[in-house]
Amino acid sequence: MRLTKQTNYAVRMLMYCAANEGHLSRIPEIARAYGVSELFLFKILQPLTKAGLVETVRGRNGGVRLGRSADRITLFDVVKVTEDSFAMAECFEDGVAECPLVDSCGLNSALRKALNAFFDVLAEYTIDDLVKARPQINFLLGLDNLHMPKLAAPAA
C-alpha cells in the first residue's frame, strides 16, 4: 500500500501547525518549509478543514491552526480524509470484481485483515507523537525565526 502525496503533506502540514502551537501558521511559510507549492497545500487544506482537523482564520493576519489538540489527531484521522480508496485489490471495489470467489476468497479476507491492522497502527499514533519525536522540529521547519504573537488555544 502506498499513501498519496496529499496524505503525506497533510500530515506534514498538521505537524507544522502542532510545532507552531499558539500561533497561526501561514500557507506560504508551510510551503517554503517543505518545498512544495502553496496551491498544492491549499487543495489539501480543504478536506482537513471540512473534517475539523484544522481551522482557518481569515484576514490580513490570518492563517491556519489545528482544529483540536495534536494529541487528539491520529494518523488514521488524516488518512481517512485524504485517501480516496483503500482498495488493495480489484475485489475490494464494489461491483468491479469478475472473480467467482469474490465473496469467499481467502486472499480477500487476508487483505482485509491486513488493511484493518494498518488502520489500527495508524490510530495508535498522533500528530503530537510525531512532533515530540523530533525535538529539533522547530529549527528544522524554520519556526525559530518566526516572531508572531501567541493565540488562544483552539476549542477542545
Side-chain angles (χ1 to χ4, degrees), residues 111-132:
L111 291 177
R112 202 165 299 285
K113 186 175 180 180
L115 185 60
N116 287 334
F118 176 67
F119 291 155
D120 289 345
V121 170
L122 291 178
E124 292 176 17
Y125 291 89
T126 66
I127 296 299
D128 192 52
D129 294 332
L130 301 181
V131 171
K132 286 184 177 173

Side-chain angles (χ1 to χ4, degrees), residues 1 9 20 37 48 70 72 96 102 132 139 141 143:
M1 165 165 279
Y9 281 96
N20 197 26
S37 80
L48 295 177
R72 292 185 52 230
V96 176
V102 72
K132 286 184 177 173
F139 172 76
L141 294 175
L143 291 169

Side-chain angles (χ1 to χ4, degrees), residues 37-96:
S37 80
E38 292 176 33
L39 181 61
F40 178 64
L41 292 182
F42 275 114
K43 288 179 183 177
I44 295 170
L45 190 60
Q46 291 173 335
L48 295 177
T49 303
K50 186 176 180 181
L53 300 180
V54 296
E55 296 176 344
T56 59
V57 177
R58 294 179 185 226
R60 181 165 138 54
N61 295 314
V64 297
R65 63 181 169 213
L66 295 180
R68 56 184 188 244
S69 64
D71 64 348
R72 292 185 52 230
I73 301 173
T74 67
L75 292 179
F76 180 64
D77 293 332
V78 181
V79 167
K80 71 182 175 185
V81 300
T82 56
E83 289 292 321
D84 290 333
S85 171
F86 295 104
M88 295 179 70
E90 182 182 329
C91 51
F92 274 57
E93 297 175 27
D94 292 333
V96 176

Side-chain angles (χ1 to χ4, degrees), residues 15-43:
M15 289 175 66
Y16 187 100
C17 290
N20 197 26
E21 183 181 18
H23 301 286
L24 287 176
S25 299
R26 292 173 179 82
I27 295 298
E29 295 162 356
I30 300 170
R32 190 171 31 261
Y34 292 122
V36 296
S37 80
E38 292 176 33
L39 181 61
F40 178 64
L41 292 182
F42 275 114
K43 288 179 183 177

